Amino acid sequence: MEQLKRKIAEDGTVLSDEVLKVDSFLNHQIDPELMLAVGEEFASLFQSEGITKIVTIESSGIAPAVMAGLKLGVPVIFARKRQSLTLTENLLTASVYSFTKKTESTIAISASHLSKDDKVLVIDDFLANGQAAKGLVSIIEQAGAKLSGIGIVIEKSFQSGRKELDELGIRVESLARIASLAGGKVTFLEEVRS
């Protein structure tokens, strides 16, 4: 998605060979027009799948997920990372390790929001090592729902997440695939020449 790649190139900040900061438009401050375009792209990619629910993880996946939900006309559920006084019973849970925060947390979704009749699209902001995606897949499986695919805004293709999801036979659609952050420069996968 060229609009997204331009935004990453113009406003993203490479903090290391593994960390890209995009807090000016995706995961702190949100660019609503860009998120609408992202949602439209995900809706276009998955429109023939009969999606009934979108699942994401708080908090950075919420904006692109809501925009895709708006375009597909389906509810969006976000897995909570923190305990809530109102979310205590009948929970579907998974343990997820955060690469950027270097912490493990238990994510949870109320079982009352997912059923065996649902066809689910997972949307998240980043795919790196695949831990968040695999945690959400586990929750969907616990509900007996069908996973139709995973939509990723930014994929760090140089990390293992895509490979692990491919090995599980999961369809992954990434809007921007980064081949490298070496030398403080974002190189997109399509730019790599063999």
Side-chain angles (χ1 to χ4, degrees):
M1 185 176 163
E2 292 307 313
Q3 181 183 358
L4 174 62
K5 290 182 199 175
R6 277 194 308 276
K7 193 72 164 177
I8 293 167
E10 291 168 8
D11 296 342
T13 304
V14 178
L15 297 181
S16 73
D17 288 354
E18 295 185 340
V19 180
L20 174 65
K21 183 177 179 182
V22 291
D23 70 342
S24 68
F25 61 91
L26 178 59
N27 55 19
H28 190 48
Q29 175 173 273
I30 295 169
D31 179 332
E33 289 182 6
L34 178 62
M35 288 306 104
L36 180 58
V38 163
E40 289 170 343
E41 186 69 17
F42 283 136
S44 174
L45 289 167
F46 289 96
Q47 66 185 353
S48 64
E49 295 294 320
I51 304 297
T52 61
K53 301 273 175 72
I54 293 176
V55 169
T56 190
I57 192 167
E58 70 175 349
S59 60
S60 300
I62 295 174
V66 166
M67 294 302 188
L70 179 66
K71 289 298 171 183
L72 289 170
V74 300
V76 175
I77 306 163
F78 66 89
R80 292 183 181 251
K81 293 180 187 173
R82 295 162 206 79
Q83 283 206 315
S84 164
L85 293 175
T86 61
L87 191 68
T88 57
E89 295 178 12
N90 200 18
L91 299 180
L92 306 168
T93 64
S95 187
V96 173
Y97 180 77
S98 169
F99 172 78
T100 48
K101 294 184 181 89
K102 305 282 189 229
T103 59
E104 187 154 328
S105 59
T106 299
I107 60 172
I109 288 177
S110 171
S112 64
H113 297 308
L114 277 177
S115 78
K116 62 179 179 51
D117 298 324
D118 284 315
K119 288 186 172 181
V120 181
L121 169 60
V122 168
I123 291 184
D124 205 3
D125 61 340
F126 272 95
L127 174 61
N129 294 311
Q131 297 305 304
K134 290 192 331 191
L136 292 173
V137 168
S138 171
I139 286 175
I140 292 162
E141 289 172 346
Q142 291 170 48
K146 180 187 183 300
L147 175 66
S148 294
I150 298 177
I152 299 295
V153 179
I154 302 171
E155 175 186 328
K156 294 192 242 174
S157 298
F158 55 88
Q159 291 180 296
S160 65
R162 161 79 67 153
K163 181 178 183 285
E164 292 185 31
L165 296 173
D166 283 347
E167 288 172 357
L168 294 172
I170 297 170
R171 175 184 174 191
V172 178
E173 297 286 350
S174 299
L175 303 187
R177 296 183 72 189
I178 296 173
S180 171
L181 296 173
K185 181 181 183 306
V186 176
T187 305
F188 293 101
L189 193 61
E190 295 81 8
E191 297 172 0
V192 174
R193 305 286 185 249
S194 49

